[in-house]
């Protein structure tokens, strides 16, 4: 698709209608006035197939790419990041009413006769120079604490997975809005001419876990044009849908066919003069280039042994979290704007101590390796890494509490997210919760604030990246003004 | 002729290269020679705004009449006027005496104010700043502490004018931090409007349309053409020439049926030179079943139709009869007013027909959840919001969702009014949690007439047996052993599973000779009862068995028993009984263990019980159920009599156990009640089940208790089993037939209201748990009112539907007409077909829109007639060729000086491929099917327990049905749909995008359904396409594009073919792989290399730009 032309036409239309046709902008005129620039694919001046919107980035970006590690199902902040040593003495005591303060809880535990406090079974250590508290469940991540900011006071409005996942990724509980990655792809375009701007992984997860569902809406473009959809890179089957030629067709056969197609389409363009025909010719060429670049992307044979070992034993198993992590780095290197990894299985209503170990085994080493790997290659300063789930978990046990077993229900009022890389402070902990990890007491960060901060790091002013839909200039971060959490910026 | 002049400050032009570009461009598009500013008109001088010095950059005026003649005026210094031919509004402005044009609020002012001012100075009370409202005259002219935002006629005395022109950053409007800005032209427009007296008017869409006269235009027979040409003529343009007949028939066939024409269709049409050839073609296309299928696609986008619930588990729901009804409604040409009534209120129609009730499913298409932990009130609220917002968007094209949280900032829809509409939908009877069921109530079962008759008969027969049972039970005096003293002693009881045949309701099967039941009356060997099972096995393993249709509980410490008679002359080498509990995993064997290969020896899957029993006499075999792994409480759902060789008679299989009647729920009603009250028990029928679960026994009324007791006596009490067995035997097949009919009977979600309506409140800031002011059902004040409220009831959805189609509503007809227009011309007269509000775009041809709207209503809301009218216009039949000049003047083709050219929809692309390849299976209707889909689309996102977790690809016809019938799972829609901009049906969609991406190219080149279609097309080329390569390519080209290739095109394709042929002749294996792709069998009579080369050429033709677009 020809973004520039589309944009110009869009601009022209808007101006005609909004200004009764009297405000032709320079850009629109330049395009429509017969300058040849815009009729081919992409922006001739930059050579990019998928250039940014004019005027973007709004200011110098701190990060060029985003890697978003979504741990889906709501990881327990109490067992991973929000250290509450004082809880031990409250074991099996009821959550004080003064803490809950009548706030709603889900119908899974609202019928429980009591809400007994379950302190974390896991030890926490102070890590790195900053002394950030991280659970023993994440020994590798403990070692990269000095690269990370830990925000302990993220909160959301949704109390159940489906709306919360939709919210964390699209800024709205109601389906139909574009995802974070789609917004960035729309606004900032792609640095790559032969890979999509926004790539998504849905890696495998420990079999023991009862995984919540994901939804394509978490990477869909919503009301934006579908070309801003995240492209799901798959663990099995073709990594990109239909990237492989059919059986019996090799690259040479495809080239033969495409050469003929291109000539025939050129003739068609001469006949009908439709600029979209030229765009289509170039999209077929881009498809052909993707056919050779994508398989190379997933080929790890050029990676050093040390690098592969850093990510752990699963790294070569296509579809694993570790393999997704190293591929994320390879994509960033090739100019992909946003990579999103959605790891499932964190919804531990019961048997939390046992199940969370499996989950952490799955993600800990590879997450730390990714941060370290980016750092070693000098990519971390241009890459923003975000880690977290869709909400937190309750301090009280769901189901029976024993010395060595408990479960936790959904808790939207505070949870932890970590950030690292482009523009983010290292070894910094932000926000405080009460002694029960139940309420924010200092420096709350709403998900909209977090998203605004992510956009900010990418050089985007969240107030100025909008798209008219349903009568509103829609934004990722909603109608109320969010706050960029400047404290976490380096 | 309407001419638009832009006057620019000459000085600025000379210093600004940007503006210079603008100037050059404007000259070029106007097609005028560069004008000397001395020659420019002066007639607007007196009207030009008096702006301070150089600050004025541009002002403007509108002129109507002959622009050229007005150019010969006196000179005007420092001002030049540019002609802009691209302005897209239909003008009907009034020419003032001085030659300037009177501005109108809707056309000129509202867009500026709406974009820049209304967010703070509009309808929304809460966000209103400085108590100033600019969207209505009253607010704008009001006296605010002695100042007036707008003083009609006097800009200098108008505070608004001062504030938009000041240099003071504290005062300037819009405020700098709002990211909004007025440019000089906008400011000048506002000034001129104030000077003209600042006339306000209602937004165009809220003023009821009045039928305008059809302009008198030479040669325009169709009113559509008259309006379009009238406008084009004024722009100095005209229609493009007619497109070739081949192009036209492809265009109209795709637009009306979603499929391309056959070569025969094309030939017939090209050869038909009669004056009404086109008319006949259109009518014929509209009479095809495919017409309704194609029209339905667009409506289903609006209705957010899908085959799953959409949230969380995203399980299947049965909604497809609604989809099929939409197809039917279009094919039967149901008038749009009824189409509206049935969908919004079919359930409330007097004596609703089946179709009316199915149609009411429109309001059940919304996504629902059953996620554990969800709060019911929240979802009841959300569903009602969805229904309200969807209804307003679909019938009124207004963005009602804004008013959920606050008064609409731009349109006259307050929160209170929104919730008054919501009150119509807030009493829906469907539950907050959909139960993850396929049949979330309320539903409608669509029983056929024959089935209905049969069901009636079955019910009668069942009732007769029930009567017998009742009589038999009445004769029994039941005494609860639990209340007897002393308690009756424990005793041995037998529960017989096989006696006189397999259990009623099961489908016994055999391997080896057919099943044989032998009768005592015939002198056969029978152990008990009248009938035994006999099997004479040849060599090897043979058996009789069933699974499913009956089940038997395993009692505590139960012992399995079975009697057998082994023929002494021809004894078997081994015998076995097997039991099915979720699988065949429980087996007991006698004799030579290895002869029967089932089960792993040494496990409960295969337990050796001993040697063969003695031959020549009946032997009762007996063993503890636990020995083969059966646990108490398990339900045995099948068993098998198995033998290796020989002749065996089998009889009386069952389980014995020792019971203590006073403690056994099968013997004591008291005990059963104690164990089951408050719990879910699936044994009980609907109604009783809820009663048992919902209330403890001491809360049951006498009547309720009686029902449960009588159920227990009939279905649970073991003491009655022998008594009732023959009657149950009689009843079982009847009930089985009944349930079979019910199972195969389709069902669909329908709308219904609760008997007692819910109260409705304004929900503060859209929070489900913050009710504010109470509201009653009403319609927004900007629209004509509802008729008087009936005395005996509140307004309901039917009143709302009637109000929408009563002919007075300003939006309903316009919105629908515009949508059909969009469908036939690619873009609506109102481009924002989902938003007719002030933030939407104004119509390009307002008079045409109004004429069509009134005409539509006058025709009796006749949808087929409307479609017919549009496609029989001359405008529709133009060529889509885009000249550089037209592209510049009207890049979006709003004026329709040519036909539009755009990419086909997802469904059309797939259906076209299936159609030209001959694979398409044109069956209409039915449950959604699963065509080809790449692996791993559903599973990586699905919830573990979802019944749509794994994609089960269909076989045979299911792969080749029209795309309309593809099963839509909302959380993971089919890739062929979503890559081509089909919405995922999570919310209503009035207009799809039309993107063009490399992923689409990959799909059209490589997807198995495309490649398989190419191969089938290739087979047809070879079979039907003629003898030579050229003939065959030409034939395929015609099949796909509807036209023959020119010599150049033919030669390019021919070249490609020979390259492919060379390559495949040298690599036969590759050729075989390519032509074997897909489920359909390849034609083995064709050499693989040749077929492969033709397949690649077919793939090439099917990827032509011309084929991907509607031309």
């Amino acid at each position: 698709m020809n973004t520039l032309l589309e944009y110009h036409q869009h601009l022209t239309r808007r101006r005609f209608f909004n200004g009764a046709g009297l405000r032709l902008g320079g850009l629109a005129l330049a395009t429509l006035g017969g300058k040849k620039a815009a009729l081919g694919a992409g922006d001739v001046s930059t050579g990019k197939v998928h250039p940014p919107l004019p005027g973007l980035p709004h200011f110098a970006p701190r990060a060029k790419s985003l890697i978003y590690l979504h741990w889906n199902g709501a990881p327990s902040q109490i067992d991973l990041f929000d250290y509450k040593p004082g809880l031990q003495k409250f074991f099996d005591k009821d959550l004080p009413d003064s803490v809950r303060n009548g706030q709603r809880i889900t119908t899974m535990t609202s019928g429980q006769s009591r809400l007994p406090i379950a302190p974390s079974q896991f030890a926490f250590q102070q890590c790195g120079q900053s002394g950030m508290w991280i659970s023993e469940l994440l020994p590798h991540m403990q070692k990269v604490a000095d690269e990370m900011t830990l925000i302990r006071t993220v909160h959301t409005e949704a109390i159940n997975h489906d709306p919360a996942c939709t919210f964390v990724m699209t800024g709205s509980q109601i389906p139909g809005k574009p995802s974070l990655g789609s917004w960035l792809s729309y606004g900032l375009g792609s640095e790559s001419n032969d890979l999509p701007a926004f790539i998504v992984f849905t890696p495998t997860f420990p079999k023991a876990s009862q995984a919540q569902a994901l939804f394509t809406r978490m990477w869909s473009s919503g009301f934006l044009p579908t070309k801003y959809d995240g492209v799901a890179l798959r663990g099995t089957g073709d990594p990109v849908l239909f990237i492989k030629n059919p059986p019996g067709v090799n690259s040479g056969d495809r080239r033969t066919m495409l050469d003929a197609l291109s000539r025939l389409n050129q003739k068609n363009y001469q006949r009908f003069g439709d600029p979209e025909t030229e765009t289509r010719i170039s999209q077929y060429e881009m498809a052909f280039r993707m056919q050779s670049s994508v398989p190379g992307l997933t080929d790890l044979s050029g990676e050093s042994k040390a690098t592969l070992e850093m990510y752990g034993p699963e790294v070569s198993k296509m579809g694993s979290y570790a393999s997704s992590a190293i591929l994320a780095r390879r994509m960033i290197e090739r100019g992909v704007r946003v990579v999103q990894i959605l790891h499932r299985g964190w919804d531990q209503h019961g048997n939390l101590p046992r199940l969370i170990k499996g989950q952490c085994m799955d993600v800990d080493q590879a997450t730390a390796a990714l941060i370290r790997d980016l750092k070693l290659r000098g990519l971390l300063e241009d890459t923003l890494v975000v880690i977290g789930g869709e909400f937190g978990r309750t301090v009280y046990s769901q189901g029976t509490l024993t010395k060595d077993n408990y479960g936790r229900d959904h808790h939207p009022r505070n949870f932890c997210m970590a950030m690292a890389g482009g523009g983010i402070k290292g070894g910094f902990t932000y926000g405080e919760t009460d002694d029960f990890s139940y309420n924010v007491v200092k420096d709350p960060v709403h998900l909209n604030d977090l998203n605004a901060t992510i956009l900010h790091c990418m050089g985007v002013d969240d107030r100025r990246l909008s798209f008219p839909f349903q009568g509103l200039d829609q934004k990722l971060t909603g109608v109320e003004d969010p706050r960029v959490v400047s404290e976490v910026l380096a | 002729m309407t001419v638009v002049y832009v006057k620019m400050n000459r000085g600025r032009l000379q210093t600004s290269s940007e503006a210079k570009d603008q100037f050059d461009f404007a000259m070029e598009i106007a097609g005028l020679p560069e004008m000397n500013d001395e020659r420019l008109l002066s007639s607007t001088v007196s009207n030009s705004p008096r702006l301070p010095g150089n600050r004025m950059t541009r002002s403007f005026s509108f002129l109507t009449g002959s622009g050229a003649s007005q150019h010969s005026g006196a000179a005007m210094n420092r001002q030049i006027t540019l002609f802009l031919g691209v302005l897209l509004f239909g003008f009907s402005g009034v020419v003032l005496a001085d030659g300037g044009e009177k501005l109108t609020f809707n056309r000129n002012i509202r867009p500026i104010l709406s974009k820049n001012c209304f967010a703070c100075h509009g309808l929304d009370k809460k966000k209103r700043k400085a108590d100033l409202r600019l969207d209505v005259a009253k607010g704008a002219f009001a006296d605010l502490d002695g100042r007036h935002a707008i003083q009609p006629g006097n800009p200098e005395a108008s505070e608004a004018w001062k504030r938009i022109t000041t240099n003071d950053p504290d005062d300037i409007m819009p405020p700098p931090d709002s990211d909004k800005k007025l440019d000089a032209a906008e400011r000048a427009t506002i000034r001129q409007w104030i000077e003209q007296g600042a006339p306000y008017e209602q937004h165009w869409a809220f003023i009821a349309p009045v039928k305008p006269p059809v302009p008198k235009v030479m040669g325009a027979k169709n009113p559509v053409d008259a309006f379009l040409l009238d406008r084009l003529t004024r722009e100095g343009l005209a229609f493009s020439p007619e497109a070739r007949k081949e192009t036209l028939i492809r265009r109209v066939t795709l637009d009306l049926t979603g499929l391309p024409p056959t070569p025969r269709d094309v030939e017939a049409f090209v050869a038909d030179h009669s004056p009404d050839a086109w008319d006949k073609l259109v009518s014929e296309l509209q009479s095809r079943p495919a017409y309704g299928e194609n029209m339905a696609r667009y409506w289903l986008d609006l209705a957010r139709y899908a085959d799953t619930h959409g949230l969380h588990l995203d399980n299947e729901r049965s909604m497809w009869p609604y989809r099929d009804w939409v197809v039917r409604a279009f094919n039967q040409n149901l008038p749009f007013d009824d189409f509206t009534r049935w969908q919004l209120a079919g359930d409330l129609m007097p004596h609703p027909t089946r179709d009316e009730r199915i149609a009411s499913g429109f309001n059940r298409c919304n996504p629902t959840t059953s996620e554990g932990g969800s709060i019911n009130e929240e979802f009841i609220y959300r569903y009602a919001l969805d229904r309200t917002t969807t209804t307003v968007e679909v019938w009124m094209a207004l963005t009602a969702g804004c008013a959920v949280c606050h008064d609409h900032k731009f349109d006259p829809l307050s929160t209170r009014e929104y919730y008054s509409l919501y009150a119509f939908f807030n009493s829906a009877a469907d539950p907050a949690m959909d139960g993850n069921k396929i049949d979330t109530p309320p539903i409608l079962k669509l029983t056929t007439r024959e089935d209905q008759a049969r069901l009636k008969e079955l019910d009668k027969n069942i009732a007769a047996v029930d009567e017998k049972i009742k009589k038999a039970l009445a004769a029994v005096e039941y005494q609860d052993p639990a209340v007897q003293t002393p308690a009756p002693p424990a005793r041995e009881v037998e529960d017989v599973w096989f006696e006189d045949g397999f259990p009623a309701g099961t489908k016994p099967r055999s391997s080896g000779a057919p099943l044989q039941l032998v009768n005592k009356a015939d002198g056969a060997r029978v152990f008990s009862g009248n009938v035994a099972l006999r099997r004479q096995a040849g060599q090897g393993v043979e058996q009789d068995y069933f699974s499913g249709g009956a089940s038997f509980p395993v009692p505590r410490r139960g012992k399995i028993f079975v009697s057998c008679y082994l023929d002494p002359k021809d004894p078997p080498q081994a015998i076995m009984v097997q039991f099915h509990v979720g699988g065949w995993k429980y087996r007991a064997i006698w004799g030579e263990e290895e002869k029967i290969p089932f089960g792993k020896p040494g496990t409960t899957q295969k337990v050796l019980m001993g040697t063969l029993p003695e031959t020549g006499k009946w032997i009762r075999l007996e063993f503890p159920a636990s020995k083969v792994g059966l646990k108490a409480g398990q339900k045995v759902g099948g068993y098998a009599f198995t033998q290796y060789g020989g002749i065996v008679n089998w009889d009386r299989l069952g389980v014995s156990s020792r019971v203590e009647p006073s403690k056994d729920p099968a013997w004591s009603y008291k005990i059963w009640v104690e164990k089951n009250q408050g719990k879910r028990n699936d044994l009980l029928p609907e109604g009783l089940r809820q009663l048992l679960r919902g209330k403890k026994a001491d809360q049951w009324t006498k009547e309720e208790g009686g029902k449960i007791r009588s159920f227990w006596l009939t279905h649970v009490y073991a003491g009655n089993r022998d008594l009732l067995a023959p009657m149950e035997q009689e009843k079982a097949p009847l009930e089985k037939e009944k349930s079979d009919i019910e199972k195969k009977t389709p069902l669909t979600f329908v709308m219904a209201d609760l008997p007692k309506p819910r109260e409705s409140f304004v929900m503060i800031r859209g929070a489900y748990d913050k009710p504010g002011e109470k509201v009653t059902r009403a319609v927004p004040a900007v629209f004509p009112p509802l008729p008087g409220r009936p005395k005996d009831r509140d307004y309901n959805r039917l009143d709302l539907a009637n109000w929408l189609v009563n002919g007075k509503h300003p939006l309903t007809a316009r919105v629908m007409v515009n949508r059909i227009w969009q469908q036939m011309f690619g873009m609506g007269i109102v481009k924002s077909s989902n938003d007719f509000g002030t933030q939407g775009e104004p119509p390009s041809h307002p008079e045409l829109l109004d004429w069509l709207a009134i005409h539509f209503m006058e025709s009796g809301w006749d949808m087929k007639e409307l479609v017919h009218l549009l496609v029989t216009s001359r405008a529709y039949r133009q060529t889509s060729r885009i000249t550089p000049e037209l592209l510049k003047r009207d890049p979006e083709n709003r004026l329709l000086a040519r036909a539009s050219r755009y990419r086909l929809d997802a469904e059309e692309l797939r259906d076209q491929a299936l159609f030209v390849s001959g694979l398409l299976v044109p069956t209409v209707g039915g449950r959604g099917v699963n065509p080809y889909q790449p692996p791993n689309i559903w599973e990586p996102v699905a919830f573990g327990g979802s019944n749509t977790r794994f994609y089960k690809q269909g076989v045979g016809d299911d792969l080749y049905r029209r795309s309309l019938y593809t099963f839509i799972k909302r959380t993971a829609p089919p890739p062929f749909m979503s890559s081509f901009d089909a919405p995922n049906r999570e919310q209503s969609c009035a207009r799809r995008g039309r993107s063009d991406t490399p992923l689409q190219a990959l799909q059209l080149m490589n997807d198995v359904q495309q490649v398989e279609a190419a191969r089938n097309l290739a087979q047809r080329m070879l079979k039907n396409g003629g003898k030579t390569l050229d003939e065959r390519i030409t034939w395929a080209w015609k099949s796909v594009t509807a036209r023959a290739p020119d010599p150049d095109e033919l030669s390019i394709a021919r070249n490609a073919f020979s390259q492919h042929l060379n390559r495949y002749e040298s690599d036969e294996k590759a050729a075989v792989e390519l032509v074997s792709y897909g489920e359909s069998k390849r034609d083995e009579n064709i050499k693989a290399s040749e077929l492969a080369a033709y397949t690649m050429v077919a793939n090439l033709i099917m990827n032509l730009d011309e084929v991907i677009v509607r031309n």
Side-chain angles (χ1 to χ4, degrees), chain A residues 8 55 69 104 106 121 143 176 248 357 360 422 439-440 453 473:
Chain A
H8 290 160
L69 308 172
R104 69 169 177 171
T106 80
Q121 250 183 38
K143 292 185 196 116
K357 276 185 206 154
C360 289
N439 298 290
V440 172
T453 310
D473 282 339

Side-chain angles (χ1 to χ4, degrees), chain B residues 319-435:
Chain B
M319 198 71 229
W320 58 265
Y322 167 76
R323 178 243 282 141
D324 290 352
W325 171 80
V326 177
V327 174
R328 209 155 56 235
F330 278 107
N331 275 334
Q332 294 170 353
N333 200 22
L334 185 68
F336 186 71
D337 54 349
D338 279 338
F339 189 71
T340 298
R341 285 187 197 102
W342 295 12
Q343 292 189 79
L344 288 180
D347 56 316
L348 300 173
M349 303 284 285
H351 312 292
T353 63
R354 172 177 282 193
D355 269 0
E356 286 168 356
R357 296 195 61 201
I358 296 173
S360 76
F362 174 86
N363 265 313
R364 294 294 308 284
C365 285
N366 58 304
T368 58
T369 194
S370 211
E371 181 169 358
S374 302
I375 293 160
N376 285 356
E377 295 74 30
E378 181 171 5
F379 281 89
I380 292 287
Y381 172 66
R382 257 171 72 170
Y383 301 161
L385 287 191
D386 181 314
R387 288 167 185 152
T388 312
T389 306
T390 303
T391 300
V392 175
E393 275 183 21
V394 170
W395 275 274
M396 301 186 237
L398 293 176
T399 57
C402 298
V404 170
C405 305
H406 51 74
D407 289 345
H408 201 295
K409 290 190 195 310
F410 311 107
D411 294 330
L413 183 63
S414 69
T415 313
R416 198 189 145 78
E417 287 172 322
Y418 178 87
Y419 283 98
S420 303
L421 282 171
Y422 151 99
F424 283 96
F425 300 94
N426 186 31
S427 292
D430 57 314
M433 297 295 114
D434 57 47

Side-chain angles (χ1 to χ4, degrees), chain A residues 61-82:
Chain A
R62 291 158 183 264
K64 286 194 194 126
S65 331
L66 169 66
I67 300 179
Y68 197 124
L69 308 172
H70 173 68
W71 295 356
N72 178 268
S76 165
Q77 79 282 11
I78 299 172
D79 296 282
L80 297 176
F81 294 113
D82 200 9

Side-chain angles (χ1 to χ4, degrees), chain B residues 22 153 301 448 525 584:
Chain B
Q22 295 175 8
D301 276 359
T448 63
R525 265 180 230 290
W584 293 103

Side-chain angles (χ1 to χ4, degrees), chain A residues 1 9 13-14 16-26 29-30 32-35 39 104-108 159-163 173-176 202 210-217 219-220 225-227 229 231 234-237 240-250 253-254 256-258 260-261 263-265 267-268 270-277 279-280 283-284 286-288 290-291 344 410 461 463-464 469-472 480, chain B residues 4 6 18 22 25 28 58 60 84 86-87 89 108 111-112 115 127 179 183 186 310-312 371-375 378 382 393 399 402 410 768 831 835 839 841-842 880-882 887-888 891-892 894 901 903 934-937 939-944 971-973 975 978 981 986-987 995-999 1001-1007 1011 1037 1043 1046 1048-1049 1052 1056 1059-1060 1063-1064 1070 1073-1074 1077 1096 1099-1100 1103-1106 1108-1109 1111:
Chain A
M1 183 69 213
Q9 292 185 345
R13 293 195 291 274
R14 274 177 66 81
F16 281 169
F17 288 118
N18 292 339
L22 297 166
R23 300 194 301 144
L24 282 171
L29 287 161
L32 299 174
K35 299 258 168 75
L39 292 185
R104 69 169 177 171
I105 56 183
T106 80
T107 52
M108 284 176 290
I159 199 163
N160 261 331
H161 299 289
D162 184 318
Q173 292 189 52
I174 310 293
T202 53
Q210 170 64 288
Q212 285 292 334
L214 298 173
F215 314 95
T216 47
R217 73 178 88 103
W219 56 89
S220 112
T226 47
K227 66 177 171 173
D229 267 341
V231 173
R234 293 131 34 86
T236 51
V240 168
L241 286 177
F242 313 114
I243 192 84
K244 269 207 212 98
N245 285 316
V249 175
N250 64 26
D253 302 331
R254 187 51 82 204
T256 305
M257 177 268 192
L258 277 173
L261 183 68
R263 288 176 63 199
L264 291 167
N265 282 348
K267 285 177 59 73
N268 194 46
Q270 283 155 19
R271 189 175 294 135
F272 289 99
D274 182 357
E276 196 63 27
T277 305
T279 307
R280 185 157 289 116
Q283 298 298 19
Y284 272 82
M286 164 97 164
F288 186 73
M290 279 174 71
Q291 287 191 294
R344 299 159 70 190
H410 305 167
D461 175 353
R463 292 293 86 187
R464 284 155 68 200
F469 180 70
Q470 292 190 333
L472 197 66
E480 305 289 340
Chain B
V4 182
V6 176
E18 178 208 356
Q22 295 175 8
F25 165 64
E28 193 180 328
R58 282 176 269 173
F60 60 91
L84 274 182
V86 285
L87 201 83
F89 300 113
N108 309 108
I112 302 176
K115 182 166 144 261
K127 293 275 155 140
D179 291 326
D183 67 18
E186 287 170 331
L311 297 171
H312 200 236
E371 181 169 358
S374 302
I375 293 160
E378 181 171 5
R382 257 171 72 170
E393 275 183 21
T399 57
C402 298
F410 311 107
Y768 75 91
K831 186 187 163 196
D835 188 2
Q839 287 296 93
E841 302 200 15
S880 66
R881 178 171 164 68
I882 311 171
L887 184 63
K888 273 184 263 163
E892 283 198 297
R894 302 297 304 276
R901 194 173 189 282
R903 203 205 67 219
N936 244 15
I937 299 294
E939 210 276 332
V941 300
F943 188 88
T971 56
S978 41
D981 302 287
E986 286 184 324
Q987 47 180 222
S995 65
D996 185 356
T997 71
L999 299 179
L1002 288 171
Q1003 182 151 5
L1004 292 178
M1005 291 191 294
N1006 300 335
D1007 185 358
V1011 177
W1037 199 284
R1043 69 173 176 92
D1046 68 24
D1048 215 13
E1049 288 166 331
I1052 294 170
Q1059 287 182 57
H1060 288 306
R1063 139 101 169 119
Y1064 284 116
E1073 275 175 15
L1074 173 58
Y1077 201 30
M1096 287 305 284
N1099 185 244
L1100 164 68
N1103 272 279
L1104 289 173
D1105 177 70
E1106 188 177 347
I1108 295 166
V1109 301
N1111 192 2

Side-chain angles (χ1 to χ4, degrees), chain B residues 224-349:
Chain B
V224 168
D225 294 328
F227 282 102
L228 292 174
L229 274 174
D230 180 48
R231 178 67 200 285
L232 284 169
T233 315
R234 282 187 280 134
E235 298 285 347
L237 293 167
F239 283 148
S240 293
E242 277 211 24
R244 295 165 53 148
K245 284 184 102 173
E246 292 91 339
T247 310
L248 283 180
I249 183 172
R250 180 168 183 271
R251 178 187 300 168
V252 74
T253 311
L254 281 165
D255 280 350
L256 298 186
T257 68
L259 296 169
T262 63
R264 191 174 301 172
D265 290 341
V266 177
E267 269 164 39
F269 176 62
V270 170
D272 187 348
H273 297 290
S274 60
D276 60 346
W278 181 249
D279 224 60
K280 279 187 306 195
L281 174 66
V282 171
S283 300
E284 193 273 320
L285 290 171
Q286 285 191 300
S287 70
R288 295 186 188 178
Y291 168 79
E293 291 177 315
N294 189 52
M295 297 296 288
R297 275 199 306 119
Y298 299 89
W299 189 262
L300 295 172
D301 276 359
L302 289 160
R304 72 247 187 270
Y305 166 83
D307 298 301
T308 61
H309 291 301
L311 297 171
H312 200 236
L313 252 65
D314 198 25
N315 270 0
E316 180 176 0
R317 69 161 57 151
S318 181
M319 198 71 229
W320 58 265
Y322 167 76
R323 178 243 282 141
D324 290 352
W325 171 80
V326 177
V327 174
R328 209 155 56 235
F330 278 107
N331 275 334
Q332 294 170 353
N333 200 22
L334 185 68
F336 186 71
D337 54 349
D338 279 338
F339 189 71
T340 298
R341 285 187 197 102
W342 295 12
Q343 292 189 79
L344 288 180
D347 56 316
L348 300 173
M349 303 284 285

Side-chain angles (χ1 to χ4, degrees), chain B residues 935-991:
Chain B
N936 244 15
I937 299 294
W938 283 11
E939 210 276 332
V941 300
F943 188 88
S946 168
N947 66 14
T948 54
R949 180 177 180 193
F950 299 104
Y951 189 78
K952 285 195 200 79
Q953 189 171 300
V955 289
D957 287 0
D958 280 6
L959 298 174
Y960 312 113
R961 297 279 306 281
R962 288 199 73 175
S963 305
L964 177 74
Y965 303 116
T966 297
F967 186 94
I968 297 180
K969 175 177 167 69
R970 283 190 233 243
T971 56
F976 83 84
M977 301 272 279
S978 41
S979 356
F980 289 95
D981 302 287
N984 57 9
R985 303 275 171 83
E986 286 184 324
Q987 47 180 222
S988 181
C989 168
R991 191 160 59 117

